């Protein structure tokens, strides 16, 4: 915590009083804390309280100079957004959560949040009925996909007398959570250009049918998200998925293996690393029928297949200084097959997904992987959220770049 720049955004909610203790604790641990508040937030606690606890003027208004920084008010939001190592919105009201989801930026807090490229933690705290409302739940789910870290509220007695989820977590829990995010939020990939692929590919049989696979895209999206939060310039080449684009990531949508091949070839030119988390089809229909294939009597049509280009394999042949990371999903002789793939495709790392130990990886939010490097050393990881797995993979890239 010592020296960390922690920007705390306080919105309207009775839990704002608890955030006073949180800010005091951060300051006590040596963090450099700045606070900004919405107008509704100031109805619950005055800016004076937060400025006494953080020992800094509180930023409240988009339009007036309020001594919260020496910068010009026309650029203050950018300055604050860049200053932060992490932004914590606590309490995050249902209203502010809804504004974030839609990019509404009508006060200083929402403007700074929109401009911020650092990790953002949301701590929703509100009445249980508001928290459980479909609109709030949907908004939080969207924000989670975009890479916001959403803390689960505590459950219990609420200010309204209702019982249920919606309580602001205790100060120690908040501090521990922020500490955990800060630990993963190095800026060690700043300026590195990384291409990440994600999701399945769809290989058209006819205008309505395709051959696809069960990949959800979550692992690749987690990688893009984590890399962007560590300062990388990320291009995400995504097969068909319904996932939201992570914050500060450039997304290119593709459908087929061939389209993915072309997109990756193009964007890899200037990249220092390519991470292929996509589940690329190995075979595609040799020809796509121009019209929908009709059922004709008892004849069963046959679909002739052809091989798709090997995207990683092609990059591996003209590797240059680029780091290449592949994924392997095996159902038998896992480690042997993965090591063989690593060599064949000339990779720096291969991430082995174990189906034997983790039957439900498709669509799951966690993963169990083994990372094997070109020297043959393997690192077995326990079951971790995909975001944490992504950070472990990126740690390895960062280490290789440091050694070079
Ligand atoms: N891959 C790729 N291009 C393809 C197929 C796969 O770049 N046409 C990448 C995947 O994104 C993954 C790695 O190669 O990172 C391994 O994919 P996989 O399909 O398991 O490997 P294959 O080489 O196809 O080997 P096999 O099908 O024999 O397991």
């Amino acid at each position: 915590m010592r020296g960390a720049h922690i920007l705390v955004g306080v919105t309207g909610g009775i839990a704002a009083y608890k955030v006073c203790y949180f800010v005091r604790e951060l300051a006590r641990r040596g963090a450099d804390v700045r606070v900004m508040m919405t107008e509704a937030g100031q109805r619950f606690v005055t800016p004076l309280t937060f400025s006494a606890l953080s020992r800094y003027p509180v930023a409240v208004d988009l339009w007036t100079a309020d001594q919260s920084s020496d910068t010009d008010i026309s650029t203050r939001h950018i300055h604050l957004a860049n200053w932060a190592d992490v932004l914590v919105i606590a309490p995050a009201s249902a209203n502010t959560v809804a504004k974030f989801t839609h990019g509404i930026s009508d006060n200083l807090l929402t403007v700074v949040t929109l401009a911020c490229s650092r990790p953002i933690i949301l701590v929703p705290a509100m009445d249980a009925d508001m928290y459980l409302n479909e609109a709030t739940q949907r908004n939080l789910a969207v924000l989670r996909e975009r890479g916001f870290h959403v803390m689960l509220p505590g459950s219990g007695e609420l200010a309204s007398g209702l019982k249920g989820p919606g309580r602001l977590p205790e100060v120690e829990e908040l501090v521990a959570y922020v500490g955990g995010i800060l630990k993963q939020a190095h800026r060690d990939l700043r300026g590195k250009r990384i291409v990440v692929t994600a999701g399945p590919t769809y290989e058209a049989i006819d205008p309505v049918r395709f051959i696809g696979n069960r990949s959800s895209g979550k692992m690749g999206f987690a990688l893009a998200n984590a890399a962007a939060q560590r300062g990388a310039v990320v291009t995400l080449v995504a097969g068909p998925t319904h996932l939201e684009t992570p914050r500060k990531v450039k997304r290119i949508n593709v459908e087929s293996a061939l389209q993915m091949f072309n997109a990756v070839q193009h964007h890899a030119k200037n990249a220092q690393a390519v991470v292929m988390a996509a589940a690329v089809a190995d075979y595609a229909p040799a020809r796509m029928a121009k019209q929908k294939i009709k059922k004709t009597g008892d004849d069963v049509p046959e679909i002739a297949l052809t091989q798709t280009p090997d995207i990683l394999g092609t990059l591996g042949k003209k590797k240059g200084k680029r780091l290449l990371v592949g994924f392997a999903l095996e159902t038998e002789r896992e480690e042997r097959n993965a090591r063989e793939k690593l060599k064949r495709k000339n990779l720096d790392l291969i991430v082995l997904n174990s189906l034997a130990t983790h039957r439900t990886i498709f669509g799951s939010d966690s993963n169990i992987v083994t990372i094997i490097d070109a020297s043959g050393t393997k690192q077995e990881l326990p079951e971790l959220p995909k975001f944490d797995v992504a950070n472990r993979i990126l740690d390895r890239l960062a280490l290789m770049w440091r050694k070079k």
Side-chain angles (χ1 to χ4, degrees):
M1 286 278 155
R2 186 154 294 281
H5 290 186
I6 303 179
L7 181 58
V8 179
V10 180
T11 75
I14 182 62
Y17 85 88
K18 269 196 194 168
V19 177
C20 299
Y21 295 95
F22 170 58
V23 166
R24 187 180 64 177
E25 185 56 25
L26 292 175
R28 205 183 62 78
R29 287 168 185 244
D32 197 349
V33 192
R34 308 280 161 93
V35 178
M36 55 183 179
M37 304 180 79
T38 61
E39 212 173 296
Q42 296 167 60
R43 303 265 176 155
F44 292 89
V45 176
T46 67
L48 185 65
T49 309
F50 279 113
S51 98
L53 293 169
S54 66
R55 301 183 203 101
Y56 233 85
V58 170
V60 292
D61 190 3
L62 197 51
W63 307 112
T64 54
D66 51 18
Q67 305 159 328
S68 62
S69 75
D70 313 326
T71 34
D72 182 347
I73 61 161
S74 62
T75 53
R76 184 182 44 185
H77 56 298
I78 303 296
H79 176 80
L80 264 177
N82 287 340
W83 173 85
D85 290 323
V86 64
L87 167 57
V88 187
I89 309 293
S93 67
N95 183 39
T96 293
V97 165
K99 285 183 187 177
F100 289 159
T101 310
H102 297 283
I104 295 171
S105 39
D106 59 351
N107 59 38
L108 184 71
L109 185 144
T110 46
V111 168
V112 170
T113 306
L114 207 56
C116 185
S117 58
R118 302 297 301 152
I120 302 177
I121 300 172
L122 298 183
V123 192
M126 61 197 76
D127 208 52
D129 286 341
M130 293 174 73
Y131 176 70
L132 294 173
N133 184 287
E134 300 73 21
T136 307
Q137 286 300 312
R138 177 78 205 121
N139 290 339
L140 289 171
V142 166
L143 293 173
R144 230 180 243 121
E145 281 185 8
R146 288 196 198 138
F148 286 70
H149 302 277
V150 181
M151 230 183 139
L152 285 180
S155 219
E157 190 144 340
L158 301 166
S160 63
L162 266 182
K163 281 203 172 112
R167 283 167 64 94
L168 195 93
E170 298 308 320
V171 170
E172 307 80 71
E173 294 172 62
L174 289 172
V175 171
Y177 191 91
V178 173
I181 299 295
L182 270 173
K183 230 190 261 166
Q184 296 194 323
H186 332 273
R187 296 183 199 237
D188 54 352
L189 301 181
R190 190 170 4 196
K192 291 276 188 248
R193 286 183 302 278
I194 304 181
V195 174
V196 179
T197 66
T201 62
Y202 285 1
E203 312 301 330
I205 297 170
D206 67 16
V208 286
R209 303 180 179 97
F210 60 84
I211 300 174
N213 63 65
R214 292 182 190 279
S215 167
S216 68
K218 285 185 179 172
M219 190 60 237
F221 276 62
L223 270 158
N225 180 22
Q229 288 189 31
R230 287 166 76 155
V233 179
V234 184
T235 306
L236 172 63
V237 179
T241 85
H242 294 294
L243 296 173
E244 292 279 332
T245 309
R247 299 165 46 227
K248 314 293 168 191
V249 165
K250 177 176 168 193
R251 175 179 185 166
I252 290 156
N253 287 324
V254 296
E255 211 168 272
S256 65
L258 186 61
Q259 287 170 358
M260 188 172 277
F261 176 82
N262 290 332
V264 172
Q265 286 294 319
H266 179 70
H267 291 282
K269 276 186 209 132
N270 297 318
Q272 282 113 335
V274 177
V275 184
M276 287 283 306
V280 187
D282 289 327
Y283 302 100
R287 268 173 309 279
M288 174 187 155
K290 288 226 163 49
Q291 309 298 336
K292 188 180 163 203
I293 300 171
K294 300 293 287 179
K295 202 160 35 184
T296 46
D298 294 333
D299 284 355
V300 178
E302 281 187 11
I303 300 168
L305 298 176
T306 168
Q307 261 191 28
T308 58
D310 187 335
I311 304 172
L312 259 183
T314 309
L315 289 173
K317 287 199 181 105
K318 275 181 122 186
K319 197 158 179 284
K321 285 195 189 138
R322 218 180 285 130
L323 297 180
L324 295 180
V325 182
F327 276 70
L329 175 66
E330 307 290 341
T331 54
E332 53 176 357
R333 289 183 302 189
E334 302 183 329
E335 204 180 306
R336 224 183 76 187
N337 284 341
R339 285 179 188 279
E340 191 272 320
K341 243 171 233 183
L342 175 97
K343 284 229 160 62
R344 177 160 46 88
K345 302 196 183 200
N346 195 13
L347 309 179
D348 298 280
L349 295 177
I350 193 147
V351 183
L352 170 63
N353 274 302
S354 177
L355 259 192
T357 49
H358 200 218
R359 290 247 153 242
T360 56
I361 57 163
F362 298 114
S364 160
D365 289 321
S366 68
N367 210 352
I368 303 176
V369 305
T370 301
I371 304 175
I372 305 173
D373 66 22
S375 74
T377 315
K378 74 169 177 181
Q379 177 189 14
E380 285 177 90
L381 298 181
E383 179 164 3
L384 291 170
K386 284 182 173 167
F387 184 75
D388 295 16
V389 173
N391 273 309
R392 299 295 186 90
I393 296 167
L394 296 172
D395 288 346
R396 299 292 297 266
L397 289 183
L399 187 68
M400 285 190 267
W401 275 318
R402 270 205 300 281
K403 280 187 181 163
K404 270 189 179 174

